[in-house]
Amino acid sequence: MKLIIVLVALVACESSLIAAKEPAGPAFLGVAVVDLVAVNPSGGTNVSTSAESKLADMYCKALLRRANPEEFTVCLINGGSFGANIAAGNITTASLQAAYPFDDTVARLSISGNTLLSLLQHGVTGYPTQGWFPQVGNIRYSFRPIPNFQSETGFATDLINAQILKNGTVYGVGGDDLNIILVTSNYLAQGNDGYTQLKNEKVLSTSKSTMNELVGAYIVKEKTVGEPVNDRIVDCSARGADPFCVPANNGGSANGQGGGANPASSAVKPGLYYSYAAVTTAALSSGAWAVLLS
């Protein structure tokens, strides 16, 4: 009996030594039900710098999960921050770190509607290759790229339209008197990637945790993440007569010709007419995005 006990103890001890020698694997967080795509693995134009990215959608949804539904709270992340895709299946801390390979924290800033328009206008000039192209949450915007080989990107790109979501209702954007809470990385909050005016905006808070830690906690809570792209970023060069590609004053144009004044503010950039009154679903090219973002 004593011999058996000793042998069992030796086996248990050896097993613990073997286990101790094995490096701990990356922590399992949850499951992606679809491929979360941001980059083009074969080279060429990345999704995250030219169109809506499922991976960026998931990041923004995670960062907005604690937002007050009674406030205008939006997310903006520079598309160039994403370095790898996350394939459908298990998500680990390692795959998250590869997807967003930076230790950015998260900042909350108070901005106006006009500031948001300026940020989006700057962002779309990054189409289709530059890292400042804006990935967003609780925002829907449209833009029109026009070939221009004298520009850095090969295009001259204008913001056409923008809407934001609050508590399940879609609103237009515009006016210095519209208060919006912007959730973004501390990197952009410091004015990097050309978002220089954020340096002058009021910072409400900065997280102690990194963005990946916050997103990881969201994935653990949700268990499964990922959904189809929901038309929050609209490239008007491919959409023909889409009503969201017509400036919101129902008559103006992207270059400022025609159209009436913006009822929310006269300070909006000429040609970009917006009102933050509620927008009817019939005025959208797709009403589904509001449901998917809520």
Side-chain angles (χ1 to χ4, degrees):
M1 178 67 71
K2 291 182 179 179
L3 178 60
I4 294 174
I5 293 174
V6 171
L7 288 174
V8 170
L10 287 172
V11 170
C13 180
E14 183 179 359
S15 297
S16 65
L17 287 172
I18 293 172
K21 293 177 182 177
E22 294 176 353
F28 169 78
L29 298 173
V31 175
V33 296
V34 295
D35 290 336
L36 302 177
V37 178
V39 303
N40 183 349
S42 60
T45 302
N46 284 335
V47 173
S48 62
T49 60
S50 60
E52 181 181 349
S53 158
K54 292 181 185 179
L55 180 60
D57 287 357
M58 188 269 288
Y59 264 72
C60 271
K61 192 163 188 176
L63 300 184
L64 292 170
R65 71 187 179 101
R66 294 182 179 177
N68 183 342
E70 299 303 321
E71 296 176 328
F72 288 103
T73 306
V74 301
C75 169
L76 190 154
I77 303 175
N78 51 322
S81 294
F82 297 97
N85 302 324
I86 295 179
N90 291 351
I91 303 175
T92 66
T93 52
S95 57
L96 209 59
Q97 190 62 39
Y100 193 96
F102 302 98
D103 292 327
D104 294 337
T105 54
V106 176
R108 294 170 66 251
L109 298 89
S110 176
I111 65 173
S112 70
N114 283 346
T115 297
L116 178 59
L117 295 179
S118 295
L119 297 176
L120 292 174
Q121 175 59 64
H122 164 68
V124 298
T125 65
Y127 173 90
T129 58
Q130 299 302 308
W132 60 84
F133 185 84
Q135 295 293 327
V136 295
N138 278 4
I139 299 173
R140 185 176 189 240
Y141 71 84
S142 58
F143 68 98
R144 178 175 288 111
I146 300 171
N148 181 340
F149 297 108
Q150 294 182 339
S151 73
E152 182 178 359
T153 63
F155 290 89
T157 305
D158 283 327
L159 178 70
I160 302 299
N161 222 327
Q163 295 166 340
I164 54 178
L165 182 73
K166 183 182 78 169
N167 203 15
T169 301
V170 178
Y171 294 81
V173 184
D176 285 325
D177 51 347
L178 174 61
N179 184 53
I180 297 171
I181 296 173
L182 172 67
V183 181
T184 188
S185 66
N186 68 314
Y187 175 77
L188 291 192
Q190 293 165 359
N192 292 303
D193 257 2
Y195 290 94
T196 53
Q197 67 188 109
L198 287 181
K199 292 189 297 183
N200 302 317
E201 301 298 328
K202 181 180 179 180
V203 177
L204 302 174
S205 65
T206 302
S207 68
K208 294 181 180 178
S209 302
T210 67
M211 185 179 296
N212 276 336
E213 287 170 341
L214 294 173
V215 173
Y218 164 79
I219 296 171
V220 169
K221 181 179 181 295
E222 295 296 316
K223 296 183 176 59
T224 59
V225 295
E227 56 195 24
V229 292
N230 47 32
D231 209 33
R232 70 182 72 179
I233 298 177
V234 178
D235 179 352
C236 292
S237 66
R239 296 290 283 263
D242 189 315
F244 197 55
C245 290
V246 177
N249 68 330
N250 297 320
S253 65
N255 62 9
Q257 302 300 315
N262 177 9
S265 172
S266 60
V268 177
K269 180 180 176 181
L272 300 178
Y273 302 111
Y274 307 85
S275 167
Y276 59 86
V279 178
T280 63
T281 303
L284 304 176
S285 60
S286 171
W289 80 280
V291 176
L292 289 170
L293 287 181
S294 60

